Structure formats: structure tokens, C-alpha cells
Amino acid sequence: MKNIVNTFSILVTERCNLACTYCHFFAARGKKDVRRDIPDDLFDVYTSFIKYFAENSGTEVTYRFSGGDPTVLGDRLFDLAGRALKKIGTKPYVLTGGKCIDQTWIDRAKPVISHLFISLESPLSPDRGALKPEETMRIIKKYNSPDMPLLLGATVLRNSDFKNLYEVCRIVYEELGQLPNIQEINYLPYESPTDEELNDLYDNLRRVVADFHNKAPLNLFSYISPEFTSLHNKKQVFLSDMDMDNSFKMTMDNMDEMLKIITDYQWVNYPAVKCDKTDCEWREGCQRIKWLWKQPSPTISADKKFADYCRFKKTVNAAFYDALYPNAVA
Ligand code: SF4
């Protein structure tokens, strides 16, 4: 099953040095109440389990540090990464907003961290609480190297910004030679798109795919249409969160039981789509969805959210298909 990748996301800190207004992590918890760093004993349980899973699951395994922003841990981040490397035999990668990245940080990270994903704001409508996109792109251009790749993390677009999608992609590609990793705003701050916003999304996305699919990997709306957005990566990726509350109740003594639970959890994380539209042209790629499309948000019911998923799916898939097969007969 080496075509399946299990990625474990260890939440190493709840603290963050940015204040993005759309942040789902703090929207769910309230920023004042979340200031914990991972305790050493829980970290050791998690890394022991990742090693056990890599040796016994028959799948490819990667792991990452997330938060909050892991870089707020300072020197402790490198200590944790070194301990994990020694136990698991591979380096973690790190998700960050990029604020702490400089030459000193890069030099400390290289022996124990494999690469970074740095979030990037839309250059046309940056969030006031995030790092300015010009600064993020400056950091990536300055410090990216083969032995410490700095890759683009998520660029979240509000529904009202779908009309700027093509321009956002063009600007980032011209600066960095890669396309942004575009995500809709989801989780708690989610809002339903209007028909006009979905029309903007179709028009812009079709142009992006047509103009860039031969130039750079596409990672556009992967929570909606992984079958199209993984054109350059044929592997099925499952993500399991290892949180500060040890929600799985993992211990050093229940690794075998946990291996079964985590394997089943993949399907909890990607539940089956229950849809009776047997004539839908996108049905084959619409068997399972990421769990968040079945969750209500404060103002949107679960049924409405799923109906929106269907609208998004048809829009995104049509844009990809029409761009990749412009001469196809309907
Ligand atoms: S895209 Fe919508 S109609 Fe088509 S299979 Fe998925 S949920 Fe059903």
C-alpha cells in the first residue's frame, strides 16, 4: 500500500505569533484559552506511535509539526525535532506563518527538519493579522534551498475573492515560479458562496488550469476535488491530527490497538458521500469527502454545507475538465 501516505500532524503548541482573522483554530477555542505547549511525555508517546505505525502499517508515513505556530517554541522546536528524528529515523516538516524565519533559524533547522510549508496571503487581499504576502515571498526567495525547501502552504481565498483567483496565481507564479496552494475558507468561519461567486470561480479556475497545468503542480481546492488537484501526485494522502488533549488516548502500551483505530479513523476523516443522483457526471470522484463538508458552521446547517459542497464540486470539476479537455463533446 505504498500508494497510500499517512501523515501525522503533531500539534506542538497552541501559541501563535500572528492573528489571522479567519483562523479556524482560534475561532474554535478562543485565543486567550489556548496557550499550551506539548508536554514531553505526550510528545514521546506520539513519536513512538509514528515509528510503530511506519513499521507495521505497510503504508508510507510522514509527520509534521503544526500549531499555533511551531516556531514560537524557539530552541525547543529543534530539540523536539532532533528527538523525533532519532526515534523515527526521518525528519519532520513544519507548518508556519513564516514570521520567525531568518538565516539563524534556517541554520538551526537544517540538521533536524526536512522542509517548511509557509502560509501565503493573497497578494490582492491580505488578511490584516497575517504576515504581508510581499514579506512571505521575500523570505521564500531568500532562504529556499535544496537542503531546506520552503514550500507554499495554504493561501485562503474568501468567496468574494474568487474573481481575483487568476490574478493571484499569476502574481505568485511570476514571483516564485510555483502556484499558490489555494483553499476556500472553511471550518467555523465558512460562508455559503453566491451563484455569482461560483461563476467567478469557474471562469478564473478554468483559465488558471489552462494556462499553468503544463508549468507547475496544481494544488487548487484540494478539499473539494482531490481527484483533479492531485494531477501531479497519484498517492492517496490521509491526515491524522495528534492534538494536545490526546483525543485518541494513546499510551506507550496500546500501540497495536491504536494502529487499528487510526487505520479506521482514516475513513471517519473521509466519510462516504450519500447522494442519490446516479446520473451525476462527477459521481466516480465523489465517493468520499473530507469530514468538514459534513459539519455545520455557526450559521450554516450540515445539510446546507453538504449542498454547498455539491455546488463547489460541480464548479471546480467543470473548470478543470473544460480547461484540460477543451475539445471534448458534451
Ligand atoms: S457532485 Fe453532487 S450530485 Fe454529483 S455525486 Fe457529488 S454530491 Fe452527488
Side-chain angles (χ1 to χ4, degrees):
M1 290 194 286
K2 285 295 177 188
N3 59 339
I4 292 181
V5 181
N6 276 285
T7 296
F8 293 94
S9 187
I10 304 178
L11 199 150
V12 291
T13 181
E14 294 175 333
R15 295 181 291 135
C16 186
N17 49 15
L18 296 171
C20 307
T21 60
Y22 52 75
C23 177
H24 64 85
F25 186 83
F26 291 116
R29 296 165 177 86
K31 199 161 186 172
K32 281 196 192 125
D33 302 329
V34 286
R35 302 200 53 79
R36 294 175 293 175
D37 299 334
I38 193 166
D40 282 337
D41 54 351
L42 180 59
F43 184 80
D44 288 341
V45 169
Y46 282 164
T47 51
S48 295
F49 177 74
I50 293 169
K51 175 180 162 63
Y52 184 85
F53 195 91
E55 291 172 348
N56 293 283
S57 69
T59 67
E60 186 179 332
V61 171
T62 63
Y63 67 108
R64 70 187 198 188
F65 293 168
S66 63
D69 194 308
T71 63
V72 302
L73 289 175
D75 287 348
R76 184 164 180 244
L77 179 68
F78 306 121
D79 294 342
L80 292 176
R83 272 173 44 200
L85 170 61
K86 198 167 168 195
K87 184 176 291 182
I88 299 168
T90 56
K91 297 176 185 174
Y93 65 94
V94 170
L95 308 187
T96 176
K99 193 174 177 183
C100 287
I101 306 306
D102 59 16
Q103 192 60 56
T104 305
W105 195 97
I106 295 282
D107 292 342
R108 293 288 315 274
K110 274 181 187 171
V112 290
I113 290 170
S114 63
H115 58 285
L116 303 184
F117 279 102
I118 304 182
S119 307
L120 173 70
E121 286 299 301
S122 159
L124 297 182
S125 49
D127 189 84
R128 67 177 184 274
L131 200 63
K132 288 190 168 41
E134 299 77 23
E135 177 62 4
T136 307
M137 291 194 280
R138 184 195 69 78
I139 289 170
I140 291 175
K141 279 164 90 169
K142 183 164 184 182
Y143 299 117
N144 182 37
S145 70
D147 49 355
M148 179 49 72
L150 305 188
L151 307 173
L152 285 175
T155 296
V156 295
L157 276 196
R158 291 176 174 76
N159 297 342
S160 57
D161 291 328
F162 290 160
K163 60 182 178 298
N164 296 323
L165 173 62
Y166 185 89
E167 191 59 8
V168 168
C169 290
R170 187 192 65 74
I171 292 169
V172 174
Y173 183 79
E174 285 186 1
E175 276 296 308
L176 299 176
Q178 53 181 315
L179 288 178
N181 168 3
I182 301 284
Q183 300 284 351
E184 74 287 353
I185 290 189
N186 216 309
Y187 301 98
L188 284 180
Y190 175 82
E191 292 179 0
S192 290
T194 64
D195 289 344
E196 188 181 350
E197 287 164 345
L198 286 183
N199 286 339
D200 289 338
L201 176 59
Y202 171 82
D203 289 340
N204 277 263
L205 185 56
R206 182 176 51 75
R207 289 174 60 213
V208 171
V209 176
D211 286 4
F212 291 100
H213 78 274
N214 282 326
K215 297 178 182 169
L218 304 174
N219 200 345
L220 307 159
F221 302 100
S222 59
Y223 288 170
I224 298 166
S225 296
E227 69 273 30
F228 275 114
T229 54
S230 301
L231 287 178
H232 297 264
N233 179 9
K234 295 296 177 198
K235 295 184 175 179
Q236 169 87 57
V237 179
F238 290 109
L239 181 67
S240 297
D241 291 312
M242 297 175 133
D243 62 23
M244 203 77 77
D245 297 314
N246 191 7
S247 295
F248 287 116
K249 305 208 180 329
M250 233 171 240
T251 71
M252 289 292 190
D253 301 322
N254 66 1
M255 303 255 156
D256 190 40
E257 180 193 347
M258 280 297 132
L259 189 143
K260 293 189 190 77
I261 287 174
I262 293 285
T263 304
D264 291 346
Y265 171 75
Q266 295 166 346
W267 302 115
V268 175
N269 227 357
Y270 296 87
V273 170
K274 293 197 176 95
C275 172
D276 55 9
K277 302 281 188 301
T278 52
D279 59 346
C280 175
E281 58 192 328
W282 307 119
R283 193 171 175 82
E284 190 182 333
C286 193
Q287 302 295 314
R288 288 187 172 273
I289 58 173
K290 195 167 171 70
W291 61 270
L292 53 84
W293 286 110
K294 290 203 161 188
Q295 290 291 315
S297 66
T299 56
I300 314 281
S301 69
D303 285 348
K304 172 69 175 150
K305 188 92 183 270
F306 181 72
D308 283 351
Y309 159 79
C310 177
R311 295 165 69 219
F312 263 118
K313 182 93 176 174
K314 289 174 175 172
T315 302
V316 170
N317 280 15
F320 268 89
Y321 189 84
D322 293 348
L324 294 171
Y325 308 104
N327 300 317
V329 178

